Every structure is written in C-alpha cells, then in structure tokens.
Amino acid sequence: MKTILILNGPNLNLLGKRQPHIYGHETLEDVERLCAAACDEGFEVRLEQSNHEGRIIDWIHEARETTCGIVINPGAFTHTSVAIMDALNTYEPPVIEVHISQVHKREAFRHHSYVSLRADGVIAGFGLDGYAAGVRRICRLASA
Ligand code: DQA
C-alpha cells in the first residue's frame, strides 16, 4: 500500500465551524472521507492537522521515508513559513498545495505563498474538492 499524507495547518481543526461563509460547513472528517474515496487501488491516505509549525515540519520529515506524496493545506503558514517550505524541499515525491478558498480573491497578504515555491501543483477555491483533486494527481504521478 502506498500512503498519501494529507497535511493541514492552523485553525483547520475548526473546519465546519470556522467562518463557514468562507470555508463551508464540512469538517476535516469529511476531508478524510473524500480523500480516501479519491484514492486509486493500492493507495491509502493519512490525515494530520496541527496548529504548531514544528509539528507540521516533523510530519514532513517522517513522510520522506513512508509516503508517496503530500497534499498540504498549510493554512496561514502558507503566507509566512520559510521553514515549512524548507522542509518540503527535503521531500522528493510530489507535493500538491490546496486552499479551500480562492486566496487570490482575498486580502493581498494571502496572494503570496512560500509553499508554492516548492509545490508541484496548486489548487485554490475548489472547496474540499481541491483535496480530492490533489489525491488523484498524486496517484497519477506515483503510478507513472
Ligand atoms: C486557507 C487560506 C489561508 O489564507 C488561511 O489562512 C487558511 C485557510 C484555505 O484553505 O483557503 O487558514 O489555506
């Protein structure tokens, strides 16, 4: 079984409750279910969420030996974290960056992403469907 890591940054534990007019009413459990359903045969997903930058970096390091790709929604760390970008630069398999909201339609500080400097694909504004699209892309790349 090949494992795809679905990584979520700060405040995404409150998905479904947090600003539902922007992020919707579905929860991280719904994200996990959608991602599992999007996997090709022979793949599985593992979903993690943390409000702490260092924990996310540790998961990326661990993933180097154990996973075939990462789908990451870094939350606000997208716009601030050189350290998460550096960690992703130590990771060889595909990385897909996902944002539930259309960040380019929002405040200017959300238009820049450190993670995009590493990501192999970026999806924004597709709601939770963006995660499933990221999973499908990684299955495709990991099977090529
Ligand atoms: C987000 C967009 C970020 O700007 C924000 O800080 C988030 C969520 C999104 O999924 O749309 O926490 O990554």
Side-chain angles (χ1 to χ4, degrees), residues 92-113:
E92 282 195 15
V95 173
I96 306 295
E97 176 182 349
V98 171
H99 300 286
I100 297 166
S101 66
Q102 210 298 54
V103 281
H104 298 287
K105 212 171 138 183
R106 300 180 64 192
E107 302 96 321
F109 67 82
R110 295 186 204 275
H111 299 175
H112 178 262
S113 166

Side-chain angles (χ1 to χ4, degrees), residues 23-64:
Y23 300 111
H25 291 279
E26 291 173 295
T27 65
L28 264 195
E29 286 74 48
D30 295 318
V31 171
E32 190 164 26
R33 191 176 40 75
L34 281 173
C35 288
C39 274
D40 286 349
E41 209 169 303
F43 290 83
E44 63 179 6
V45 295
R46 197 183 102 214
L47 183 141
E48 304 286 1
Q49 185 278 330
S50 179
N51 296 322
H52 304 277
E53 190 173 15
R55 188 69 194 98
I56 293 168
I57 292 165
D58 289 342
W59 276 321
I60 294 168
H61 292 174
E62 287 161 27
R64 295 177 66 219

Side-chain angles (χ1 to χ4, degrees), residues 1-5 42-46 66-69 91:
M1 218 40 155
K2 292 182 184 170
T3 304
I4 300 170
L5 180 61
F43 290 83
E44 63 179 6
V45 295
R46 197 183 102 214
T66 55
T67 67
C68 67
Y91 182 84

